[in-house]
């Protein structure tokens, strides 16, 4: 049974049984405390916790998930996969234990011919929570399971919580017996390798508090509404139904494994170590493909870092299989073909996805090359110093800064006869992970428990009136101070205010929040920020500037009209720039992020190379032509499918509901799904002036522009600057660039002549410096100040020439000068002096300490400096004393 067929049977069954079929949410989680959708229940958390009223009594879905906690275990077991798909059915106060058990049993045991999954009843076992007599009774009653195949387990295995105070409840898990060749008999409690969990039913019925650990908490009562949260792993069911050993061998994953085998010339199943590498490749390519399809792009932080790590582990695994050339064009295309039946967007968006994948592989192959050079140098230094191990901090630097895998570092070091201080490396990795954990905890603490919004959201969605109105009368539904609801906030306090209606725009879609005020009887609030902490609810962060604001009082939101108008200009201009980019570069130039604020726009788009000046001018001209043409800006609210059918662009990083708002500027030329505020006609934008274009990643570019009055002011400043230059240089405007180029060339030539003259002057000083040579202990010493110099290079040149003149007898040259107001000292030794114990690096450190700075170098030549130029004579005296003491 194909993986896609299993998913279809699941969804068809629950749709037939009255469930609303919900499309998968993005892998990019809405929850700011987690980067990815790590479990099937994540998109439903607002409904399960009651913060947001559920829009349907029951639902079913196939949810895409990414989990990277066990990334090092991928490929080693049958269970660990980075990307996986969870089939779930959900009840929000509709059916409970008996219904959930009945649905699960019927679907699992109904024959394939009748649309079920066709599991043999005798192979199915169940676990229930140790105190859940009701669940055990229902399994016997509904499914006819004998008591011998129902096992009771404790909180560690069969109790679900969020880890926080709130909803919780016992679980019941369904296992399939894979047979005696996979382990011993005795049910899941005896062997969870032979008995494999395929479905978990969570009976969310209690409220808990005082959570001390996963198993230590207090049950404080029943939930007012009992929910069902179930999850069945699609990959697990697939490898059982397909009769293969693990998820890597199923129809959606195995093709990549086979293609990697063909490319490498190595056979899967022939070597245990290679088999792990093949499975890592198959998993990571599919996971990277799905992340790219949801708009994640490779970077050095956050989600992008996880994606980059997956892709680089793939390259590393192919290298260990003997393949050093690029393979992503073939591997990713293979994964696309295996997955597109369930995710057709992989094919329609293939150009963008493949561009990122190919660019990232090319970048990492270059990194491997440069990292190898850095590592070779480190290995060489370690061997010269007669060390047997490479320092852990060097290995960590290669890993953390250059993305160079530790196993590759160990491999190359081993080939050179060195070990790696793995203990020190692992210690640095632990410190880094701990910092990451603390950062994640800090981010969690910084976000108020969304449960605080539950009672406000229960009163309905906040009505946004700002598309048509800049002032709206409403009433205060709630006041929150320091994360807790209060009855009022007084002058000077920072608070969150929840209103029934608002004209103030909440930050979203790249557009920053409105500025403005909220006023009411006896009080005034300055609006600092406007956000949507949970779906459907708008929260205003305010400072109470006058009086006090309390729950239930009247409130009027007043938008800063000037700021709003400028923000609208910028947002509409962003749409025009996007359309102009696609007009000029093609459909591959799709949005990867944006920021719109009053007078300014920033637009990131997928593109692999810098734009030429001519291209930037063309984009700017097309966008401004659209402004000149006074195109009508219209909006429609319609279903997502209708909008897509009309050609509207659904942008990555955005979340869309069943109904969407489509913004047209001049008809289909610019048609996007957008919840932002816009001008009525394009001419209201005024001017769009591109001020920058830069790289923001291997395959992303960024353009920045000023809009409207801000663009006009910038152009005025530039005009004034040009006028000033033409006057100062007495050159017509159209000849200004040539005149500046001529002056620049003349300046460079003059600087070159000056440098040559200074070099001649310095060279003339060599004889006089040689003449100052005097005996100091066992060596001849030249220690002198050379006054003001152009740079440290001048002093270095003098030192080396003087050393050359002193011949082969033991000699040390120490010269110090002042460059750009700061002292610099350079010391050189010849071979005979080094044999007598004179080391330039040690002597420079002696001098630099006196100068109030530091320095270093090799035994034959070293350089240092400091802060106090007046200490140069004392520094040279210190060098003389050190040489005499040899």
């Amino acid at each position: 049974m194909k993986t896609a067929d299993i998913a279809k049977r699941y969804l068809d069954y629950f749709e037939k049984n009255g469930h609303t079929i919900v499309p998968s949410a993005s892998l990019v989680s809405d929850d700011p405390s987690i980067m990815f959708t790590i479990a099937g229940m994540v998109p439903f958390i607002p409904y399960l916790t009651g913060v947001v009223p559920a829009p349907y009594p029951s639902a079913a879905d196939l949810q895409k998930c990414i989990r990277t906690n066990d990334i090092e275990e991928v490929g080693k077991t049958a269970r660990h996969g980075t990307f996986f798909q969870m089939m779930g059915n959900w009840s929000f106060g509709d059916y409970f234990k008996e219904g959930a058990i009945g649905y699960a049993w019927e679907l699992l045991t109904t024959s394939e011919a009748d649309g079920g999954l066709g599991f043999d009843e005798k192979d199915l076992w169940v676990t229930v929570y140790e105190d859940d007599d009701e669940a055990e009774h229902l399994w016997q009653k509904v499914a006819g399971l004998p008591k011998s195949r129902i096992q009771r387990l404790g909180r560690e295995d069969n109790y679900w919580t969020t880890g926080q105070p709130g909803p919780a409840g016992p679980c019941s898990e369904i296992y399939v017996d894979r047979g005696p060749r996979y382990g011993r008999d005795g049910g899941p409690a005896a062997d969870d390798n032979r008995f494999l969990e395929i479905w978990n039913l969570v009976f969310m019925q209690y409220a808990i508090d005082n959570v001390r650990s996963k198993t230590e908490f207090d049950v404080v009562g029943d939930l007012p509404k009992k929910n069902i949260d179930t999850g069945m792993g699609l990959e697990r069911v697939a490898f059982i139904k397909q009769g293969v050993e693990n998820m890597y061998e199923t129809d959606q994953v195995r093709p990549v494994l086979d293609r990697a085998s063909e490319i490498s010339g190595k056979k899967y199943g022939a070597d245990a170590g290679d088999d792990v590498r093949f499975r890592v490749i198959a998993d990571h390519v599919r996971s990277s493909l799905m992340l790219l399809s949801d708009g994640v792009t490779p970077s050095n932080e956050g989600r992008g870092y996880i994606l980059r790590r997956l892709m680089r582990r793939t390259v590393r695994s192919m290298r260990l299989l003997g393949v050093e050339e690029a393979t992503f064009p073939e591997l990713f295309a293979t994964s696309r073909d295996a997955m597109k039946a369930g995710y057709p967007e992989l094919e329609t968006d293939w150009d963008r996805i493949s561009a990122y994948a190919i660019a990232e592989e090319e970048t990492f192959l270059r990194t491997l090359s440069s990292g190898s050079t850095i590592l070779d140098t480190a290995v060489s230094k370690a061997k010269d110093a007669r060390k047997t191990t490479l320092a852990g901090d060097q290995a960590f630097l290669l890993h953390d800064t250059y993305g160079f895998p530790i196993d590759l570092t160990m491999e190359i070091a081993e080939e050179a006869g060195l070990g790696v201080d793995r203990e020190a490396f692992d210690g640095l990795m632990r410190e880094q992970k701990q910092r990451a954990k603390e950062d994640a905890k800090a981010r969690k603490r910084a976000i108020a428990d969304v449960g605080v919004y539950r009672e406000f959201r229960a009163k309905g969605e906040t009505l946004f009136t700002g598309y048509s109105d800049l002032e709206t009368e409403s009433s205060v539904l709630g006041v929150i101070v320091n994360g807790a609801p209060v009855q009022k906030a007084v002058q000077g306090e920072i608070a969150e205010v929840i209103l029934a209606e608002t004209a103030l725009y909440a930050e979203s879609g790249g557009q920053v929040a409105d500025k403005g005020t909220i006023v009411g009887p006896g009080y005034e609030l300055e609006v600092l920020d406007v956000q949507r902490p949970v779906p459907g609810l708008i929260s205003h962060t305010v400072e109470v500037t006058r009086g006090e604001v309390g729950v239930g009082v009247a409130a009027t939101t007043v938008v800063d009209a000037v700021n709003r108008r400028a923000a609208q200009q910028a947002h509409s201009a962003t749409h025009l720039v996007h359309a102009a980019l696609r007009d000029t570069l093609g459909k591959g130039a799709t949005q990867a992020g944006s920021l719109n604020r009053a007078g300014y726009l920033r637009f990131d788009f997928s593109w692999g190379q810098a734009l030429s000046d001519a291209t930037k001018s063309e984009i700017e001209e097309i966008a401004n032509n659209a402004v000149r043409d006074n195109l009508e800006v219209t909006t429609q609210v319609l279903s997502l499918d209708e909008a897509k059918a009309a050609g509207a662009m659904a942008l990555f990083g955005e979340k869309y509901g069943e109904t969407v708002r489509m913004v047209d500027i001049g008809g289909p030329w610019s048609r996007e799904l957008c919840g932002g505020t816009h001008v009525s006609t394009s001419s209201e934008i005024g001017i769009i002036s591109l001020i920058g274009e830069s790289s923001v990643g291997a395959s992303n570019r960024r353009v920045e522009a000023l809009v409207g009055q801000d663009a006009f002011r910038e152009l005025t400043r530039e005009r004034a600057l040009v006028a000033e230059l033409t006057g100062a240089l007495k050159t017509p405007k159209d000849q200004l660039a040539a005149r500046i180029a001529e002056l620049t060339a003349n300046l460079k030539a003059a600087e070159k002549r000056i440098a040559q003259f200074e070099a001649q002057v310095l060279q003339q000083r060599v004889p006089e410096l040689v003449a100052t040579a005097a005996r100091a202990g066992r060596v001849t010493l030249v220690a002198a100040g050379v006054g003001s110099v152009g740079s440290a290079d001048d002093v270095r040149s003098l030192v080396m020439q003087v050393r050359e003149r002193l011949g082969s007898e033991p000699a040390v040259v120490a010269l110090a000068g002042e460059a750009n107001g700061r002292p610099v000292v350079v010391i050189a030794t010849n071979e005979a002096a080094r044999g007598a114990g004179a080391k330039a690096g040690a002597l420079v450190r002696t001098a630099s300490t006196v100068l109030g700075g530091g320095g270093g170098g090799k035994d034959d030549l070293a350089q240092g400096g400091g802060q106090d130029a007046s200490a140069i004579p004392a520094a040279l005296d210190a060098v003389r004393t050190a040489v005499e003491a040899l």
Side-chain angles (χ1 to χ4, degrees):
M1 189 183 293
K2 297 290 187 184
T3 304
D5 184 32
I6 296 170
K8 185 176 185 304
R9 287 168 181 259
Y10 183 92
L11 296 176
D12 286 350
Y13 172 81
F14 281 102
E15 185 173 32
K16 182 180 67 177
N17 282 281
H19 290 63
T20 299
I21 304 304
V22 179
S24 174
S26 170
L27 288 169
V28 177
S29 174
D30 282 335
D31 186 337
S33 66
I34 55 176
M35 285 193 290
F36 297 117
T37 301
I38 57 174
M41 57 86 68
V42 169
F44 294 96
I45 288 175
Y47 309 145
L48 294 169
T49 57
V51 172
V52 177
Y56 23 68
S58 59
D61 72 328
L62 175 65
Q63 176 60 47
K64 299 178 291 185
C65 302
I66 285 279
R67 195 173 294 168
T68 58
N69 291 347
D70 299 322
I71 193 171
E72 302 293 344
E73 298 303 313
V74 169
K76 298 177 183 178
T77 74
R79 306 180 186 191
H80 287 94
T82 313
F83 171 82
F84 58 98
Q85 301 160 89
M86 290 299 294
M87 300 178 286
N89 58 283
W90 316 83
S91 166
F92 308 104
D94 187 10
Y95 58 86
F96 197 50
K97 288 184 185 180
E98 184 167 358
I101 289 170
Y103 286 138
W105 188 255
E106 183 178 36
L107 177 59
L108 286 174
T109 59
T110 297
S111 69
E112 293 183 19
D114 292 326
L117 297 178
F119 281 92
D120 193 325
E121 294 185 17
K122 67 178 177 55
D123 294 332
L124 298 179
W125 288 62
V126 164
T127 62
V128 297
Y129 178 54
E130 57 190 359
D131 293 337
D132 196 349
D133 297 334
E134 181 186 11
E136 180 181 293
H137 168 72
L138 287 170
W139 277 112
Q140 294 176 71
K141 171 189 169 186
V142 175
L145 264 179
K147 196 168 185 177
S148 59
R149 280 195 280 137
I150 304 172
Q151 295 184 324
R152 295 189 182 226
L153 298 176
R155 280 187 175 181
E156 180 71 29
D157 299 293
N158 278 64
Y159 209 95
W160 176 88
T161 77
T162 63
Q164 303 289 331
C171 303
S172 182
E173 296 177 335
I174 305 172
Y175 291 75
V176 60
D177 182 357
R178 303 171 71 200
R181 75 188 183 98
Y182 291 99
R184 60 196 177 99
D185 202 355
D191 190 334
D192 63 358
N193 184 49
R194 170 175 171 172
F195 297 88
L196 189 69
E197 178 204 337
I198 57 171
W199 204 335
N200 183 19
L201 314 178
V202 176
F203 308 129
M204 202 177 297
Q205 61 188 108
Y206 298 119
I208 63 170
D209 203 350
N210 192 23
V211 179
R212 302 174 292 283
S213 70
K214 180 181 177 181
T215 58
E216 296 180 337
F217 49 82
D218 298 333
V219 177
V220 294
D222 293 334
L223 292 175
K225 183 183 289 187
K226 297 178 180 179
N227 299 325
I228 288 292
D229 158 11
T230 81
M232 180 160 64
L234 179 56
E235 282 76 11
R236 287 198 184 182
V237 178
F239 83 70
I240 293 170
K241 295 302 294 181
Q242 292 172 21
V244 295
E245 292 299 306
N246 52 59
M247 62 170 285
Y248 310 103
E249 299 175 17
T250 60
D251 62 303
Q252 286 189 344
V253 188
R254 180 67 187 248
V256 178
L257 189 154
D258 289 339
R259 189 71 192 102
S261 175
E262 292 171 12
I263 293 170
S264 67
K266 295 190 175 184
K267 187 177 180 181
Y268 180 63
D271 178 86
D274 285 347
D275 286 353
V276 171
R277 294 172 190 126
F278 282 127
R279 292 193 287 264
V280 166
I281 292 163
D283 172 89
H284 286 8
V285 166
R286 184 171 79 139
S287 301
S288 300
L289 175 76
M290 300 307 295
L291 284 169
L292 285 166
S293 76
D294 270 7
V296 181
T297 56
S299 71
N300 286 329
E301 59 186 13
R303 299 180 181 95
Y305 175 75
I306 298 296
L307 172 58
R308 173 162 284 168
R309 187 180 178 201
L310 292 171
M311 298 171 87
R312 293 187 169 190
R313 278 173 58 88
T314 303
V315 174
R316 171 61 181 145
S317 295
M318 288 301 297
R319 187 185 178 103
L320 291 173
L321 291 169
V323 182
E324 297 195 3
E325 63 270 17
T327 60
F328 279 11
E330 294 180 66
L331 295 178
F332 272 76
T334 302
S335 187
R336 172 203 63 196
D337 292 342
M339 296 294 294
K340 67 184 181 183
Y343 302 96
E345 63 270 19
L346 295 174
E347 192 159 41
T348 56
D349 197 30
W350 175 243
D351 288 345
R352 184 191 64 84
I353 293 170
S354 60
Y356 279 114
I358 292 168
E360 180 62 22
E361 183 178 33
E362 290 173 350
T363 299
F364 186 49
L365 289 174
R366 289 195 297 270
T367 294
L368 286 175
S369 177
S370 60
S372 295
T373 303
I374 296 166
L375 179 56
D376 289 343
T377 302
V379 166
S380 177
K381 286 183 177 180
K383 294 185 75 173
D384 289 345
R386 294 186 172 86
K387 293 181 179 178
T388 58
T389 59
L390 191 69
D393 58 349
Q394 290 178 308
F396 182 76
L397 175 70
L398 282 163
H399 164 82
D400 193 49
T401 304
Y402 299 98
F404 207 74
I406 180 60
D407 51 354
L408 184 56
T409 298
M410 294 176 71
E411 179 185 307
I412 293 174
E414 185 179 350
E415 290 169 357
L418 294 174
V420 174
D421 188 346
R422 188 62 192 262
E423 184 177 347
F425 174 85
D426 289 342
L428 290 167
M429 285 295 293
R430 283 193 297 272
E431 289 176 15
Q432 185 188 62
K433 288 179 179 177
Q434 184 60 34
R435 286 193 298 270
K437 285 181 180 178
E438 289 171 357
D439 178 61
K441 287 179 180 177
R443 284 189 290 115
K444 264 190 170 182
R445 286 193 296 269
I447 300 163
D449 176 7
V450 294
V452 75
Y453 303 107
R454 182 182 295 113
E455 64 175 283
F456 309 127
R457 181 59 181 82
K459 297 175 182 178
E461 295 192 22
T462 309
L463 177 64
F464 175 63
T465 64
Y467 291 132
S468 56
D469 300 326
L470 295 181
E471 289 192 19
T472 291
E473 293 182 359
S474 186
S475 59
V476 177
L477 298 181
V479 179
I480 300 170
V481 175
N482 295 326
V486 296
Q487 285 301 303
K488 64 180 180 180
V490 300
Q491 186 168 332
E493 281 192 306
I494 305 295
E496 285 183 73
V497 172
I498 312 296
L499 306 175
E501 301 89 14
T502 182
L504 291 155
Y505 183 79
E507 180 180 1
S508 63
Q511 182 175 333
V512 301
D514 273 335
K515 294 181 179 179
T517 57
I518 301 173
V519 297
Y523 71 86
E524 184 170 334
L525 316 175
E526 179 187 354
V527 177
L528 306 177
D529 194 13
V530 190
Q531 295 289 335
R532 297 178 183 269
V534 297
L537 190 75
I538 295 176
S539 172
H540 311 77
T541 300
V542 301
E543 180 180 359
V544 184
T545 56
R546 181 173 62 85
E548 63 179 46
V549 59
V551 176
V553 302
T556 300
T557 55
V558 182
V559 177
D560 181 328
V562 174
N563 181 78
R564 164 70 80 81
R565 178 176 174 78
Q568 289 180 169
Q569 290 174 310
H571 202 155
S572 297
T574 302
H575 284 222
L576 296 186
V577 169
H578 188 188
L581 278 163
R582 289 169 64 82
D583 231 21
T584 307
L585 304 178
K587 293 184 178 179
T590 54
Q591 181 171 339
S594 68
L595 173 69
N596 315 290
R597 64 169 184 257
Y600 170 85
L601 72 85
R602 185 184 76 203
F603 187 84
D604 297 348
F605 59 101
S606 53
W607 199 249
Q609 59 192 41
L611 303 184
S612 67
D613 289 339
T615 300
K616 287 184 283 188
S617 294
E618 183 180 358
I619 291 165
E620 188 176 56
E621 184 175 358
I622 291 171
N624 279 295
N625 284 344
V627 173
R628 175 204 63 195
D629 292 342
N630 196 27
L631 303 175
E632 186 180 8
V633 180
T634 61
T635 62
Q636 295 181 66
V637 176
L638 61 171
S639 74
L640 181 59
D641 289 340
E642 288 173 329
K644 287 182 176 179
M649 293 192 62
L651 304 180
F652 292 106
E654 291 298 304
K655 308 297 186 295
Y656 301 108
E658 292 182 7
T659 61
V660 293
R661 184 170 179 262
M662 185 173 75
V663 177
D664 279 8
I665 305 180
W669 182 68
S670 172
R671 178 170 288 167
E672 299 185 22
L673 303 185
C674 180
T677 62
H678 289 274
V679 297
S680 300
T681 61
S682 61
S683 63
E684 295 176 31
I685 293 170
I687 308 172
I688 302 171
S689 175
L690 293 187
I691 57 171
E693 189 268 343
S694 58
S695 170
V696 283
S699 299
N700 272 356
R701 305 297 298 180
R702 169 176 292 170
V703 292
E704 297 175 90
L706 295 176
V707 181
Q709 196 68 24
D710 289 74
F712 177 76
R713 292 190 189 101
E714 180 66 15
L715 293 173
T716 300
R717 282 192 292 268
E718 289 182 0
R719 183 176 63 187
L721 177 61
V722 170
E724 184 179 346
L725 289 172
T726 56
L729 299 177
K730 295 181 173 56
T731 303
K733 184 168 58 176
D734 59 348
Q735 297 175 24
L736 192 58
R739 177 61 176 152
I740 291 174
E742 179 188 354
L743 289 172
T744 302
N746 292 341
L747 178 61
K748 287 181 178 178
E751 288 173 342
K752 185 176 181 181
R753 289 193 296 271
I754 292 168
Q756 291 170 343
F757 174 74
E758 289 176 340
Q760 290 172 1
V761 171
L762 283 172
Q763 197 166 9
Q764 291 170 4
R765 298 190 62 183
V766 172
E768 69 178 77
L769 289 169
V770 171
T772 66
R775 199 73 183 169
R778 299 167 59 190
V779 305
T780 297
L781 172 68
V782 173
V786 295
S788 179
V789 294
S791 70
D793 289 341
D794 294 335
V795 183
R796 181 185 289 260
S797 175
L798 270 177
V799 165
M800 294 175 73
Q801 291 182 65
V802 172
R803 180 178 64 177
E804 188 70 23
R805 295 285 188 95
L806 292 177
S808 59
E809 292 299 314
V812 174
V813 181
L815 300 181
E818 185 176 345
N820 300 319
R822 301 183 69 175
V824 59
V825 59
V826 181
I827 298 178
T829 63
N830 64 11
E831 187 175 352
R834 292 192 293 277
K839 310 288 186 183
L843 293 172
V844 149
R845 284 191 286 274
T846 298
S848 298
T849 300
V850 177
L851 295 171
K858 297 182 179 179
D859 291 346
D860 64 329
L861 185 66
Q863 177 179 318
Q867 306 294 325
D868 184 6
S870 67
I872 285 177
L876 294 172
D877 286 342
V879 172
R880 187 176 291 107
T881 301
V883 171
E884 289 173 346
L886 292 173

